[in-house]
Amino acid sequence: MNDVIIVGAGPAGLSAGITCAKKGLGVLIIDEYMKPGGRLLGQLYEEPNGSWWNGIQESTSLYEHAVDLGIQFQLNTPVNNIEKLDQSWVIYTDKHTFNTDHLLLATGAAESPVPVPGWTLPGVMSVGAAQVMTNVHRVKPGERGVIIGVNVLSAAIAMELQLAGIDVACLTLPKLNKITKNAAQPKDVLESLLHVSHMAPSPLIRFGSKLMKNDFMKKMGVTFYPKEGVKMWDIPIQLRKAVINIYGDGEVEGITSATIDANGEVVSGSEENIACDFVCIAGGLYPLTELAAVAGCPFYLIDELGGYVPLHNERMETTLDGLYVAGNITGIEGAKVAIAQGVTAGLSIAENAGISGLDVDIQHSIQSIELTRDKAYIQFHPEVKKGKRILKEQWKEYERSVKKLVH
Amino acid sequence: MSRRILEHPVLGNLQDNKYISFTFNNKNYEGLESESIAAALLANGIRTLRYHEESGSPRGIYCNIGHCFECRVTVNGTQGVRACLTPLQAGMVIESGGKLPTPVRDWSAENE
């Protein structure tokens, strides 16, 4: 029996494990990937002070710290199921079954797919897949790629691909359909891009973003947006064109794009082919919550947090005794926020495991999450704080209803 | 042309001298020990990992981190192994799954 079991060896899971181990708890971290670090592994970007945030280095140092503290790891180990039996959590994996009183789910996020005709061809992959191939495995996803989906993540990864010597032909949009919805609307995409504009060396985007703070200007911006796009890190970003097909005999050979008007409709006769040997689909991230669902957590759909999130409080406790969450399972944010959330989860677990005198530390750690969020360089969702407020209201509502039941 | 990124301006340079042998669909290849099967195959220029069980259309990696199950292959006789999550080991025998028979549908198409 382990004092604490953590599912997910990403930034949240590692920092929670370190926090628990420092308080003297025995920790086991389980992850299905072969390396610790989770999505942090692939990250690579330049910070405002000119230094690089190197996800591999950050992962290694967290992992080494964890190992030094005696934390046990089970990598390459998918968790199939969890359930509560006789007051303790049972964790089922391919290899073993584990028990614990305190279970933290730090399962992170998954990428939303965007169906485009031809997207099952080998060579089409999620933008995160290309990131992991390039930065973690150091294998080129291809020589020349097209990225479908313009958002914070895809813009950052486009730059990372370039850094590794891979040609990115363009960033472009999927054709509007029932599923792609906002991701195919130039106006909405432009709005989301405003939140990475401070990273863009292109003065047009930087300057343009200041002009386009209101809806009317955004519409004008799309209308007058050059058909050939503007460039960010020298990569054309096409908002007036959409990919209508991915073609190739057995694997990707190119994409067909067409001009779309400000409402996202295809202008017929405007089709053109762009040759490439890989295509990345960037549909954004959503919290990976299956284990919280099988455990029986109540969920709320909060778009500002990226999708359905299990109900939890500021101390990262769910409504289920001994079940905690941290990291992107609680909403899509950067790795630094995940690390801060891991600390809070670790302290809550330690307190619930019987270690006293942690109240002030827990309050400080909750403030530290807020500070980290405020300072975040990359904001995946502009309204994340609103999402957190909604969640807080839901938790209060839950507490009120529990009190009613008790009385 | 090498598909491996041996030099990188921020992540530094890599040595790729620990090659081991494995087979994929009865052909010999070399890869780096403990890299993912998917990475080893892509480094060898192989994108098609399997053929869809029903349609027979070729499939490769999609998410590359274990969520989508598009990359499943047979490894040393075990079916349904995710190539993106499985570390390569010397002597591995890796095979693509293929199209499965659809006798009921075929019969229906001919007789109804």
Side-chain angles (χ1 to χ4, degrees):
Chain A
M1 180 113 160
N2 298 277
D3 296 329
V4 187
I5 291 182
I6 297 169
V7 182
L14 289 171
S15 90
I18 289 167
T19 306
C20 290
K22 279 183 179 167
K23 298 294 173 196
L25 301 176
V27 181
L28 169 67
I29 301 183
I30 306 173
D31 196 297
E32 70 175 338
Y33 206 59
M34 59 190 78
K35 295 170 194 245
R39 280 223 161 257
L40 174 58
L41 279 172
Q43 292 180 9
L44 190 62
Y45 59 86
E46 200 173 0
E47 303 208 71
N49 65 9
S51 68
W52 284 84
W53 174 257
N54 177 340
I56 294 176
Q57 262 173 22
E58 299 296 331
S59 301
T60 305
S61 69
L62 282 169
Y63 176 65
E64 284 173 355
H65 193 178
V67 170
D68 284 346
L69 289 166
I71 294 175
Q72 303 285 308
F73 281 86
Q74 289 273 334
L75 299 175
N76 267 305
T77 308
V79 171
N80 302 322
N81 189 20
I82 57 174
E83 66 176 332
K84 194 143 198 198
L85 285 179
D86 302 329
Q87 298 308 305
S88 100
W89 287 99
V90 187
I91 296 96
Y92 300 92
T93 76
D94 280 359
K95 298 165 193 164
H96 308 283
T97 301
F98 302 97
N99 290 275
T100 188
D101 287 342
H102 302 281
L103 174 59
L104 169 64
L105 302 178
T107 44
E111 274 187 74
S112 306
V114 180
V116 176
W119 75 317
T120 61
L121 279 171
V124 181
M125 64 193 80
S126 74
V127 76
Q131 182 188 44
V132 170
M133 264 312 168
T134 303
N135 292 348
V136 182
H137 298 302
R138 301 285 289 267
V139 177
K140 291 182 183 179
E143 296 299 327
R144 185 170 200 253
V146 168
I147 298 178
I148 304 176
V150 182
N151 54 43
V152 176
L153 188 67
S154 72
I157 295 177
M159 186 207 62
E160 295 174 19
L161 293 173
Q162 271 199 329
L163 211 53
I166 299 160
D167 187 17
V168 179
C170 63
L171 272 80
T172 182
L173 299 176
K175 184 179 172 298
L176 185 71
N177 63 35
K178 274 184 190 149
I179 297 167
T180 55
K181 284 181 291 193
N182 289 357
Q185 285 284 8
K187 189 168 91 59
D188 292 321
V189 169
L190 210 57
E191 183 169 325
S192 78
L193 263 191
L194 297 184
H195 302 280
V196 274
S197 57
H198 60 293
M199 295 164 65
S202 155
L204 177 56
I205 290 188
R206 268 208 313 266
F207 178 66
S209 71
K210 284 191 188 129
L211 286 179
M212 290 190 283
K213 293 284 181 195
N214 73 56
D215 241 36
F216 173 74
M217 286 305 286
K218 258 177 252 159
K219 254 191 189 142
M220 297 290 281
V222 173
T223 309
F224 293 113
Y225 195 87
K227 264 187 203 167
E228 294 310 314
V230 294
K231 288 184 173 180
M232 196 154 153
W233 299 292
D234 256 344
I235 303 167
I237 300 180
Q238 301 185 331
L239 295 183
R240 302 268 320 261
K241 287 187 171 183
V243 175
I244 56 174
N245 188 37
I246 303 169
Y247 63 86
D249 182 15
E251 47 184 60
V252 170
E253 291 169 23
I255 59 114
T256 306
S257 76
T259 305
I260 46 174
D261 62 25
N263 298 317
E265 301 289 328
V266 173
V267 176
S268 68
S270 65
E271 296 87 350
E272 65 162 334
N273 289 344
I274 298 172
C276 60
D277 64 348
F278 74 104
V279 172
C280 296
I281 292 184
L285 298 165
Y286 67 90
L288 193 66
T289 57
E290 287 93 335
L291 289 175
V294 297
C297 286
F299 277 81
Y300 285 93
L301 175 60
I302 303 177
D303 288 329
E304 291 82 357
L305 300 179
Y308 286 91
V309 290
L311 184 58
H312 61 275
N313 62 17
E314 285 182 316
R315 300 161 61 101
M316 312 315 281
E317 296 162 326
T318 69
T319 61
L320 305 177
D321 224 19
L323 191 72
Y324 310 80
V325 285
N328 272 358
I329 188 175
T330 71
I332 304 306
E333 295 188 79
K336 289 177 185 173
V337 174
I339 290 171
Q341 290 176 323
V343 173
T344 302
L347 291 171
S348 295
I349 291 169
E351 187 175 64
N352 293 342
I355 296 165
S356 54
L358 294 180
D359 243 23
V360 174
D361 286 354
I362 291 174
Q363 287 314 315
H364 280 163
S365 76
I366 292 169
Q367 286 162 13
S368 163
I369 296 173
E370 289 287 331
L371 284 175
T372 312
R373 183 171 291 138
D374 289 340
K375 281 191 294 184
Y377 184 44
I378 296 178
Q379 198 66 270
F380 286 89
H381 201 292
E383 301 279 2
V384 65
K385 294 183 97 164
K386 180 183 165 200
K388 293 293 176 187
R389 277 200 301 276
I390 296 171
L391 194 71
K392 221 167 159 177
E393 287 304 312
Q394 296 291 358
W395 181 267
K396 279 186 196 154
E397 187 59 36
Y398 159 77
E399 280 188 322
R400 278 194 289 271
S401 65
V402 170
K403 272 183 197 148
K404 262 186 214 155
L405 284 175
V406 174
H407 292 297
Chain B
M1 194 171 181
S2 172
R3 291 175 178 86
R4 290 193 188 273
I5 304 159
L6 298 178
E7 291 168 5
H8 194 288
V10 183
L11 295 173
N13 297 345
L14 276 194
Q15 300 280 320
D16 66 336
N17 48 12
K18 282 188 194 156
Y19 280 101
I20 54 165
S21 302
F22 66 99
T23 69
F24 178 66
N25 292 341
N26 302 314
K27 275 174 120 173
N28 290 316
Y29 295 97
E30 289 194 326
L32 295 173
E33 185 164 20
S34 296
E35 71 179 338
S36 75
I37 289 174
L41 287 170
L42 188 59
N44 280 284
I46 295 168
R47 291 193 183 280
T48 300
L49 301 178
R50 59 180 254 273
Y51 295 87
H52 191 266
E53 290 77 1
E54 189 186 356
S55 68
S57 63
R59 299 299 173 96
I61 58 160
Y62 181 77
C63 81
N64 203 20
I65 54 167
H67 298 154
C68 76
F69 283 73
E70 276 288 271
C71 67
R72 53 193 191 271
V73 290
T74 300
V75 177
N76 297 335
T78 304
Q79 290 184 347
V81 175
R82 286 170 284 177
C84 70
L85 289 187
T86 308
L88 184 72
Q89 280 156 25
M92 266 184 170
V93 177
I94 305 163
E95 294 160 295
S96 294
K99 195 177 172 183
L100 299 173
T102 49
V104 175
R105 177 186 293 180
D106 297 346
W107 185 90
S108 303
E110 280 168 29
N111 295 283
E112 282 178 5

